[in-house]
Amino acid sequence: MTSSAPLLHTSCPLCGPAPAGLIWEDAQLRVILVDDSPFPGYIRVIWRDHATEMTDLSPEERDHLMRAVYRVEALQRRMLQPDKINLASLGNQVPHLHWHLIPRWRSDPCFPDAIWAPARHDPALQAAWQRRAQELRSHTPALCDAITAALGDT
Amino acid sequence: MTSSAPLLHTSCPLCGPAPAGLIWEDAQLRVILVDDSPFPGYIRVIWRDHATEMTDLSPEERDHLMRAVYRVEALQRRMLQPDKINLASLGNQVPHLHWHLIPRWRSDPCFPDAIWAPARHDPALQAAWQRRAQELRSHTPALCDAITAALGDT
């Protein structure tokens, strides 16, 4: 779909008005900062139409979506210097196509597990991570500005 | 890298000889059936060079990798009819670029959470899922054959 009027489902929380944390959007996708996450710099790239799977999109749409994912990943790496990037399109709870782009650090609560696994931290490590996360969060405004500049204006 | 001699790290479990479950390979990637998983039809697509992130690849390499991912996803959907597909490139434990392609069912042990979350099943549901999973696994040889045919010979 290249129309500027996305296909929406009224009961879907990812359809409709832009959610909090919007960094950038075009007619096909939105880029969101997940600001309430314990993982600084966590971004979601959300397809605007109510598609469910990558293979519901045309090849051109897939490429457009993934080019945005790669640009954001490159900026997360450059500006936050994480130990790893995690990419995931799950959608079991909200089956509206969206990508999770999660910078990971060896000292974060779940590393080396996925962020959906139980946290491993003991209280001492948790306190150290909170200080580190606060410092990392001070860079997220610059990350958002860089994403806006890299993806350009619609 | 388009060379037929992949860049390998001797200490990496995803470098070197093909792991168990190999379905298909070319000079750049391998497609593996994760046969010991509780999730029938779970496939990994593994980049052969020891790259870590998608943005370590050239745009052409990313497209080659993702085209294989989409072809496998399409076949998982057609042949297993899951309720959802989960795609993830994590690599926190083995930082060698690989994609998890996981068919999901509403009756599977972790749904609607990620497979890395704790299972939710009580024993009665677990027994029903085991029967369903056994039936689904009977389709994985045909899925593997379809993947081989779709990806073609190198």
Side-chain angles (χ1 to χ4, degrees):
Chain A
M1 298 294 296
T2 55
S3 160
S4 61
L7 293 173
L8 305 177
H9 282 201
T10 52
S11 62
C12 172
L14 292 184
C15 288
L22 181 69
I23 300 170
W24 186 84
E25 64 184 333
D26 67 8
Q28 294 180 287
L29 58 83
R30 287 176 164 144
V31 180
I32 308 291
L33 176 68
V34 186
D35 207 19
D36 58 351
S37 163
F39 300 92
Y42 182 164
I43 302 280
R44 289 196 187 104
V45 180
I46 304 169
W47 192 247
R48 292 193 64 170
D49 276 340
H50 190 82
T52 302
E53 308 287 4
M54 285 301 286
T55 48
D56 289 333
L57 305 189
S58 71
E60 294 74 21
E61 289 171 330
R62 292 173 206 161
D63 290 347
H64 181 68
L65 175 51
M66 294 311 292
R67 279 196 299 270
V69 168
Y70 304 143
R71 284 182 176 176
V72 172
E73 174 186 298
L75 290 167
Q76 288 173 315
R77 295 180 73 187
R78 187 189 309 166
M79 303 191 70
L80 299 177
Q81 303 187 336
D83 295 312
K84 191 70 193 68
I85 294 287
N86 289 179
L87 302 180
S89 170
L90 307 180
N92 305 319
Q93 311 216 26
V94 181
H96 175 133
L97 185 61
H98 61 284
W99 281 91
H100 303 271
L101 290 78
I102 312 151
R104 302 295 309 274
W105 286 268
R106 289 189 187 88
S107 55
D108 78 38
C110 295
F111 203 90
D113 298 324
I115 67 162
W116 301 281
R120 295 181 172 219
H121 268 174
D122 66 32
L125 290 172
Q126 182 64 20
W129 169 249
Q130 291 297 349
R131 290 190 294 274
R132 176 86 172 112
Q134 186 171 8
E135 193 277 325
L136 288 163
R137 276 194 195 90
S138 71
H139 300 287
T140 56
L143 172 65
C144 294
D145 289 346
I147 290 169
T148 303
L151 293 175
D153 295 322
T154 50
Chain B
M1 296 295 296
T2 55
S3 162
S4 61
L7 293 172
L8 306 177
H9 283 201
T10 52
S11 62
C12 172
L14 293 183
C15 288
L22 181 70
I23 300 170
W24 185 83
E25 62 182 334
D26 67 8
Q28 293 181 287
L29 57 83
R30 287 176 166 143
V31 181
I32 308 292
L33 176 68
V34 185
D35 207 19
D36 59 350
S37 164
F39 301 92
Y42 183 164
I43 303 279
R44 289 198 188 104
V45 180
I46 304 169
W47 193 247
R48 292 191 65 170
D49 276 339
H50 190 82
T52 303
E53 308 286 4
M54 286 300 286
T55 48
D56 289 334
L57 304 189
S58 71
E60 295 74 20
E61 290 171 330
R62 291 174 206 161
D63 290 348
H64 181 69
L65 175 51
M66 294 311 292
R67 278 195 301 271
V69 168
Y70 304 143
R71 284 182 176 178
V72 172
E73 175 186 296
L75 291 166
Q76 288 173 314
R77 295 180 73 186
R78 185 189 311 166
M79 304 193 70
L80 300 177
Q81 303 187 337
D83 296 312
K84 191 70 193 67
I85 295 287
N86 289 179
L87 303 180
S89 170
L90 306 180
N92 305 319
Q93 309 213 27
V94 180
H96 175 134
L97 186 61
H98 60 285
W99 281 90
H100 304 270
L101 290 78
I102 313 151
R104 301 297 307 277
W105 287 267
R106 289 190 187 89
S107 55
D108 79 37
C110 295
F111 201 90
D113 299 323
I115 67 162
W116 301 280
R120 294 179 174 223
H121 268 173
D122 66 31
L125 291 172
Q126 182 65 18
W129 168 249
Q130 291 297 350
R131 291 191 294 274
R132 176 86 171 113
Q134 187 171 10
E135 194 278 324
L136 288 163
R137 275 195 195 89
S138 71
H139 300 286
T140 55
L143 172 66
C144 295
D145 289 346
I147 290 170
T148 303
L151 293 174
D153 294 321
T154 49

